[in-house]
Amino acid sequence: MSNDFPSSKLERGKIFAKTGIKVGTNYAKRYLKKSVGKKESEEEGKQFHTQNARQVFNEFTKLRGTALKIAQSLSMDEGMLPEEFAEVMSESQYSVPPINKALARSIIKKELGDYPENLFAKFDTEAIAAASIGQVHEARLKNGQKVAVKIQYPNVKNTIHSDMSMAKTLMKRIVSGNGNFDEYFEEIEETLMEETDYHQEAEYLKYFNKRFSEGEVITPKYIEELSTDKVLTMTFIEGQHLKEFLATNPSQEERNHFGQLLWDFFHDQVEQRDFIHADTHPGNFFFRDDGKLGVIDFGCVKKFSEEFTHNYMQLLPKHLKQNEEEIRDLYLKLDIIKENPKNPETEEEFFQFCKAYGDTFAKPYMGDEFDFGDPDFKKKITRFARELPIKNEPRGDKNFIYSTKVHMGLYNMLMKLKAQIDTERSKELTHNMIDTMAQEK
């Protein structure tokens, strides 16, 4: 596989088209076999999804950029997509082929005015991580401090708009349906454009480092003199990713400890009602030997509107109170259900489904502690996502794209950790926040 970055619209269009044709052909063949009565075993179904996902992932790794952001989103979607598909896509969180060394070196020269060997005491030309927008190299400053140097792929900003158009077409092949995704794709495109602005990410780095520097969460420190809008240098965060941590067979106490840190990190951000780290996938968290949680990658940070935040925060207490009419009114405000649907019976079925899903999602907050290792909870969460009565029709405020990604990403990591969490403080925090917001109104 070439490790250059295809940056022209034509080059990228060819790869998207090739992927779409492959996916479409695979599903057509499968449908044809089923239509003539050929039965598919469970194992054959799993193999089909794995092979299909592998083909998509292989092409996406060539494209990087927007394509890999889609892959990361697909990896977190363990409900609507087959489990095997999500499993393959999870590789986008850890392992992507880097661009070649000469290109990386020339980007640093162009951006920082000199070659890396002259700027740093040591610079590893092999990228330690490569993802959607850029890749990361390990280096040492001349004072001996270990740093991470993030290099943006060339012209990646210019590929985003055309990629999003092609991605819409491809997504319709992977997830069949005729929903209008335009508003949601626009929100994703706007966020991706912001992720290419390393000056903005530097501001987020400074904010989060100041916010969490005194506790058990560690975030990188920004190093301004070796950064531009396409190269970002920061202190290095050590630790193991979730997959590596679980491979060490940690004790329940260790699982609970890190699970609690993840839980509190999320709720501390909610309490601040300011910026939220909105890229909650395992590749962005480190489980450290000193017991601290490392958090990296502040490219995707969101600040939700007061109106959406207020309504979103109301979801939990409304579900805990079990007042169906209040839940219905809130769902209307959040665009989850329609006021005058074409098919009232189907809409009512959808409302009851969403209410039951919301009740399950609120379960961790119903007591003072919750066991995310409960297999029944995982089954229910997964089943709800897979059995959605109205599929592929966009529902809900566009901000749900990231609020749900954060909350569901948190749940997915906690379920993998099988962590037992103290939820008493976060439940009180939610109620206090709602009271405060109501007074401000």
Side-chain angles (χ1 to χ4, degrees):
M1 182 189 294
S2 168
N3 57 3
D4 290 325
F5 181 83
S7 57
S8 79
K9 187 176 178 180
L10 180 62
E11 286 177 290
R12 298 177 73 77
K14 282 180 182 177
I15 295 173
F16 266 113
K18 179 183 171 186
T19 310
I21 291 167
K22 276 184 180 178
V23 171
T25 303
N26 291 345
Y27 277 99
K29 285 179 180 176
R30 186 185 190 216
Y31 176 77
L32 189 61
K33 282 181 183 177
K34 287 187 172 183
S35 67
V36 295
K38 288 189 178 179
K39 289 188 177 179
E40 178 184 81
S41 69
E42 185 179 345
E43 187 56 38
E44 284 173 334
K46 286 181 177 180
Q47 285 178 1
F48 169 80
H49 292 307
T50 299
Q51 289 165 4
N52 210 36
R54 176 61 56 194
Q55 287 183 331
V56 173
F57 179 72
N58 287 344
E59 298 304 321
F60 277 13
T61 55
K62 295 175 190 174
L63 288 164
R64 298 180 180 85
T66 315
L68 274 179
K69 278 293 172 187
I70 293 168
Q72 285 179 358
S73 297
L74 293 176
S75 76
M76 300 304 293
D77 198 339
E78 295 181 2
M80 188 175 288
L81 290 169
E83 189 177 340
E84 298 77 24
F85 207 106
E87 186 63 34
V88 171
M89 289 299 163
S90 69
E91 292 178 35
S92 64
Q93 299 163 5
Y94 305 106
S95 54
V96 177
I99 55 174
N100 68 56
K101 296 174 187 177
L103 182 54
R105 191 167 171 267
S106 69
I107 291 170
I108 288 181
K109 169 71 165 66
K110 182 182 177 184
E111 290 298 313
L112 298 179
D114 207 342
Y115 290 110
E117 61 268 25
N118 298 326
L119 295 167
F120 299 92
K122 184 182 177 185
F123 184 88
D124 192 344
T125 56
E126 294 285 346
I128 55 168
S132 50
I133 303 295
Q135 64 187 41
V136 181
H137 292 258
E138 185 181 315
R140 284 197 184 272
L141 301 181
K142 291 183 177 176
N143 66 5
Q145 185 173 30
K146 195 173 179 181
V147 294
V149 183
K150 190 173 179 180
I151 303 169
Q152 190 172 127
Y153 299 134
N155 299 319
V156 69
K157 191 171 187 174
N158 299 329
T159 68
I160 289 172
H161 181 69
S162 58
D163 274 8
M164 291 305 293
S165 300
M166 292 183 279
K168 267 194 280 189
T169 305
L170 178 58
M171 286 301 291
K172 285 177 181 176
R173 291 179 182 270
I174 295 173
V175 184
S176 59
N178 299 307
N180 180 13
F181 292 91
D182 289 351
E183 187 183 40
Y184 301 87
F185 269 81
E186 283 168 16
E187 175 69 12
I188 294 167
E189 183 174 336
E190 186 180 313
T191 303
L192 282 169
M193 289 298 284
E194 186 174 291
E195 284 191 57
T196 64
D197 182 355
Y198 283 2
H199 285 313
Q200 180 62 67
E201 185 172 348
E203 292 303 310
Y204 293 142
L205 276 172
K206 288 189 277 187
Y207 170 85
F208 277 90
N209 188 260
K210 184 179 178 182
R211 171 80 183 86
F212 291 98
S213 60
E214 300 300 317
E216 291 188 276
V217 172
I218 292 185
T219 65
K221 288 181 182 175
Y222 169 55
I223 298 171
E224 186 175 2
E225 61 271 21
L226 289 168
S227 300
T228 69
D229 63 344
K230 292 188 173 61
V231 173
L232 187 60
T233 303
M234 67 204 86
T235 54
F236 198 92
I237 303 293
E238 307 275 5
Q240 295 176 309
H241 286 304
L242 178 60
K243 201 172 183 180
E244 297 163 336
F245 174 69
L246 292 176
T248 67
N249 194 25
S251 67
Q252 188 62 51
E253 186 181 359
E254 290 173 301
R255 290 168 182 266
N256 295 349
H257 170 75
F258 282 112
Q260 193 71 50
L261 289 182
L262 284 164
W263 181 266
D264 291 342
F265 175 67
F266 168 72
H267 288 87
D268 283 348
Q269 293 174 82
V270 171
E271 185 178 19
Q272 289 299 303
R273 285 166 54 195
D274 203 343
F275 297 116
I276 289 185
H277 181 288
D279 210 355
T280 312
H281 69 74
N284 287 338
F285 296 86
F286 287 105
F287 299 79
R288 293 166 50 90
D289 290 340
D290 62 3
K292 293 188 177 183
L293 178 72
V295 185
I296 61 167
D297 199 344
F298 292 87
C300 183
V301 170
K302 301 297 289 184
K303 184 171 185 174
F304 301 113
S305 69
E306 283 292 297
E307 183 183 5
F308 174 76
T309 302
H310 184 265
N311 289 332
Y312 186 76
M313 294 302 295
Q314 290 274 359
L315 282 169
L316 176 60
K318 297 293 186 199
H319 277 281
L320 294 179
K321 279 171 64 180
Q322 285 293 295
N323 185 314
E324 187 166 301
E325 285 313 304
E326 286 185 1
I327 292 172
R328 193 183 296 274
D329 288 343
L330 186 57
Y331 280 12
L332 282 167
K333 286 180 186 174
L334 285 163
D335 296 326
I336 295 169
I337 57 172
K338 295 178 179 177
E339 195 161 10
N340 298 302
K342 290 180 182 177
N343 190 329
E345 193 175 307
T346 303
E347 194 71 13
E348 181 60 24
E349 181 192 354
F350 183 63
F351 167 73
Q352 293 298 337
F353 176 89
C354 290
K355 181 181 170 298
Y357 189 8
D359 290 344
T360 302
F361 207 84
K363 269 196 169 185
Y365 300 88
M366 287 180 179
D368 292 339
E369 55 184 39
F370 187 76
D371 183 3
F372 279 91
D374 179 359
D376 286 339
F377 178 72
K378 183 175 182 179
K379 276 180 195 171
K380 283 178 182 175
I381 286 282
T382 305
R383 180 173 59 80
F384 274 117
R386 286 192 176 149
E387 293 178 3
L388 199 65
I390 298 178
K391 287 187 181 290
N392 312 320
E393 181 184 331
R395 292 294 186 100
D397 187 294
K398 65 180 182 180
N399 288 293
F400 272 117
I401 296 169
Y402 292 99
S403 63
T404 304
K405 182 181 178 183
V406 173
H407 218 151
M408 198 63 234
L410 173 69
Y411 276 26
N412 281 332
M413 284 196 286
L414 293 174
M415 287 189 288
K416 284 173 181 171
L417 275 170
K418 297 180 180 176
Q420 294 157 6
I421 302 298
D422 178 346
T423 60
E424 184 179 11
R425 178 179 164 271
S426 51
K427 186 170 56 179
E428 289 173 3
L429 180 156
T430 304
H431 286 290
N432 292 340
M433 265 192 69
I434 290 166
D435 290 342
T436 302
M437 292 175 89
Q439 289 167 14
E440 287 173 359
K441 281 195 167 186

